[in-house]
Amino acid sequence: MSGTTENRNLSGYRAVWLFAMFDLPTDTKRARKDYTIFRKRLMKDGFAMVQYSVYVRHCASEENAQVHYKRVKGFLPPEGEVRLLQITDKQYGRMEIFWGKKRKPTPAAPKQLELF
Amino acid sequence: MIKRVVEISSARRHLSIKHEQLVISEGRQECGRIPCEDMGVLLVDHPAVTYTHSVFTKLLECGCAVVLCNGKHHPVGMLLPIESNTLQCERFRNQIDAKKPVKKRLWQQIVRAKILHQAKVISEDELAVSALKGMAERVRSGDPDNVEAQASRRYWGVFAEGIKFKRERFGGPPNNMLNYGYTVMRAAVARSLCCAGLLPTLGIHHRNKYNAYCLADDLLEPFRGFVEARVRVMCNEFEEVEELTQEMKAELLEVLYEQVEIGGYKGPLMVGLHRTAASLQRVFAGEGKCLELPKIEI
């Protein structure tokens, strides 16, 4: 898999990335329960964790991103803050990741076509 | 919506489902995760792959086609969703009740498109192109003169100039590339038929009682050209090999994402297939007369 920026976008659509970032209360048992439910729903919708409370999903097209926007809005937790942010595949590819002072390679976008 | 095509062929993988995502792992090591609803075709071509039951059930629920290959890398079966369209029952009925003249006219359109597409693939051979164009004109309703076969003979004769080539199912290279490409295309066609609420089993022309995907094979005809054009380019790129490499497979799979124009729609072929399937459904329902097939400019 090559880096995202040089990925030929096979599908002819512009791929986008959808970030879900959240801060949810965990003070009561009920709040923790809601937190878990929300987190699991995110994963079931195809989101993957990039950092604590930061989840990202690759969407093959702008229209598809809208679908997932709507879905997340449909299962928002009763309390706490959730932010949704959409960026293009190109912008995502320019993200720099550091581990200590060492730069880590940016993860590649999933291709429309994958061979395992 | 454009979906992903995933092939598992390089090693002993284990497939499972977690949080409605397909998890691909080797031993304890996870190699990848793909949300089930983003999946279009899963192609498995390795004898030691293991599964959990929910891989199949979940993928089918999400409308994904699963193709299984045997040790010879030949597809032996396909899994398609049963309940993929809400109006299915009515549409099955329309398909079963479709009158003979309707089917014959459909077959005429399909054969015409197929022959024109063949002409496009070998567009540099002007003599053959004009011959094929003439043949396409001559296709009558239901193709009683079997112009399809005549065109194919002419076409395969010029298809691979310079290499000794005979199109046979189990023949030497590049037959293996063609087979692989057709398999993937067929799965995508069958999937789009299911989504349109049609039975991939009941063909309009193919009637082999041992073939479970007659309609998919019928509708595949005009799309074969995409695979063939790609294989032609690849013949010059790659050495002839008995076993397809991952690189070759990837290139063949990319055919599904080629830009096409179908009935006013422009975009990836995989999405365009849904338009074709939907137009077929309308013909069966008596709401239309024409199939929407890829636009071919020679």
Side-chain angles (χ1 to χ4, degrees):
Chain A
M1 290 213 180
S2 53
T4 44
T5 37
E6 61 211 41
N7 245 357
R8 264 192 307 158
N9 193 351
L10 290 174
S11 68
Y13 289 121
R14 306 266 298 274
V16 295
W17 293 80
L18 193 53
F19 277 85
M21 298 166 276
F22 52 87
D23 270 331
L24 304 183
T26 51
D27 46 358
T28 63
K29 200 167 176 175
R30 178 72 240 175
R32 283 193 293 277
K33 179 88 184 150
D34 287 334
Y35 170 92
T36 312
I37 288 172
F38 177 69
R39 197 178 143 267
K40 281 199 172 159
R41 292 288 298 265
L42 269 183
M43 288 198 285
K44 282 185 178 170
D45 198 36
F47 282 81
M49 185 171 111
V50 277
Q51 288 190 338
Y52 289 125
S53 315
V54 180
Y55 284 67
V56 70
R57 190 193 203 288
H58 176 266
C59 303
S61 66
E62 177 80 34
E63 294 84 358
N64 183 243
Q66 290 307 317
V67 171
H68 295 288
Y69 252 114
K70 276 211 186 82
R71 275 214 206 135
V72 177
K73 282 181 193 163
F75 59 76
L76 290 173
E79 284 173 59
E81 181 184 41
V82 178
R83 296 179 185 218
L84 292 174
L85 168 72
Q86 175 189 314
I87 61 169
T88 63
D89 190 33
K90 210 170 166 96
Q91 289 165 325
Y92 183 85
R94 285 203 294 262
M95 176 165 64
E96 296 193 8
I97 304 170
F98 298 97
W99 190 256
K101 282 208 189 277
K102 261 176 63 183
R103 171 116 198 249
K104 283 207 326 192
T106 311
K111 287 190 180 164
Q112 284 304 321
L113 175 82
E114 295 184 85
L115 301 158
F116 286 97
Chain B
M1 177 52 215
I2 188 89
K3 301 281 184 189
R4 286 200 227 166
V5 177
V6 175
E7 176 183 294
I8 315 278
S9 62
S10 58
R12 284 190 70 133
R13 306 284 188 196
H14 176 68
L15 306 182
S16 56
I17 299 282
K18 194 170 183 186
H19 300 307
E20 309 206 8
Q21 304 195 28
L22 174 70
V23 181
I24 298 148
S25 40
E26 193 171 359
R28 294 246 168 108
Q29 191 66 37
E30 195 177 299
C31 334
R33 271 186 186 211
I34 301 157
C36 285
E37 60 173 328
D38 292 3
M39 293 279 302
V41 179
L42 172 70
L43 205 146
V44 186
D45 184 5
H46 193 283
V49 170
T50 53
Y51 309 84
T52 60
H53 179 76
S54 51
V55 168
F56 294 129
T57 52
K58 193 88 227 147
L59 286 179
L60 290 173
E61 275 169 20
C62 294
C64 171
V66 182
V67 181
L68 306 171
C69 300
N70 65 7
K72 293 199 191 80
H73 310 294
H74 252 279
V76 283
M78 188 155 40
L79 294 169
L80 289 165
I82 290 182
E83 280 190 43
S84 40
N85 189 297
T86 41
L87 299 167
Q88 207 151 332
C89 193
E90 177 196 12
R91 292 184 171 182
F92 282 175
R93 176 93 22 242
N94 290 338
Q95 187 184 349
I96 293 164
D97 294 343
K99 298 277 181 291
K100 224 175 182 159
V102 172
K103 288 188 196 167
K104 279 178 153 178
R105 270 198 301 277
L106 278 170
W107 186 239
Q108 178 186 25
Q109 288 176 42
I110 287 175
V111 172
R112 266 201 186 144
K114 178 186 177 177
I115 296 175
L116 285 175
H117 206 156
Q118 287 177 332
K120 189 188 170 180
V121 173
I122 52 160
S123 56
E124 75 290 338
D125 188 329
E126 284 170 17
L127 218 76
V129 167
S130 61
L132 286 174
K133 276 184 174 168
M135 286 181 188
E137 293 289 312
R138 285 209 309 275
V139 179
R140 294 191 295 152
S141 179
D143 195 17
D145 319 313
N146 206 353
V147 177
E148 186 197 4
Q150 298 168 39
S152 281
R153 270 192 58 185
R154 183 74 209 249
Y155 168 71
W156 290 112
V158 271
F159 177 76
E161 285 290 305
I163 50 171
K164 264 181 65 186
F165 172 72
K166 187 158 177 253
R167 171 66 192 141
E168 284 172 349
R169 182 172 285 193
F170 297 103
N175 280 299
N176 51 3
M177 290 195 228
L178 288 168
N179 290 339
Y180 186 84
Y182 291 155
T183 298
V184 176
M185 189 67 86
R186 189 173 182 234
V189 170
R191 186 176 160 264
S192 64
L193 288 170
C194 287
C195 292
L198 296 168
L199 278 167
T201 317
L202 280 181
I204 43 189
H205 179 81
H206 283 95
R207 262 200 234 107
N208 181 340
K209 66 177 174 187
Y210 301 109
N211 179 351
Y213 300 108
C214 287
L215 187 62
D217 289 337
D218 287 335
L219 205 56
L220 175 65
E221 297 296 352
F223 293 93
R224 284 179 188 268
F226 291 110
V227 174
E228 287 151 8
R230 180 66 58 112
V231 168
R232 238 180 151 209
V233 174
M234 286 171 65
C235 280
N236 304 327
E237 253 178 65
F238 296 98
E239 293 286 303
E240 283 199 359
V241 286
E242 287 298 324
E243 293 261 314
L244 295 180
T245 59
Q246 286 237 321
E247 197 187 348
M248 292 163 111
K249 284 179 178 172
E251 195 141 334
L252 286 165
L253 286 169
E254 274 181 27
V255 169
L256 290 180
Y257 301 104
E258 249 177 57
Q259 289 289 308
V260 293
E261 195 177 327
I262 298 179
Y265 154 89
K266 274 189 188 147
L269 192 146
M270 203 176 184
V271 182
L273 278 172
H274 289 288
R275 288 209 57 133
T276 303
S279 70
L280 177 62
Q281 184 275 318
R282 282 198 297 276
V283 174
F284 282 142
E287 293 160 15
K289 276 208 155 60
C290 274
L291 267 183
E292 289 180 356
L293 289 166
K295 195 170 159 191
I296 294 155
E297 287 161 349
I298 309 170

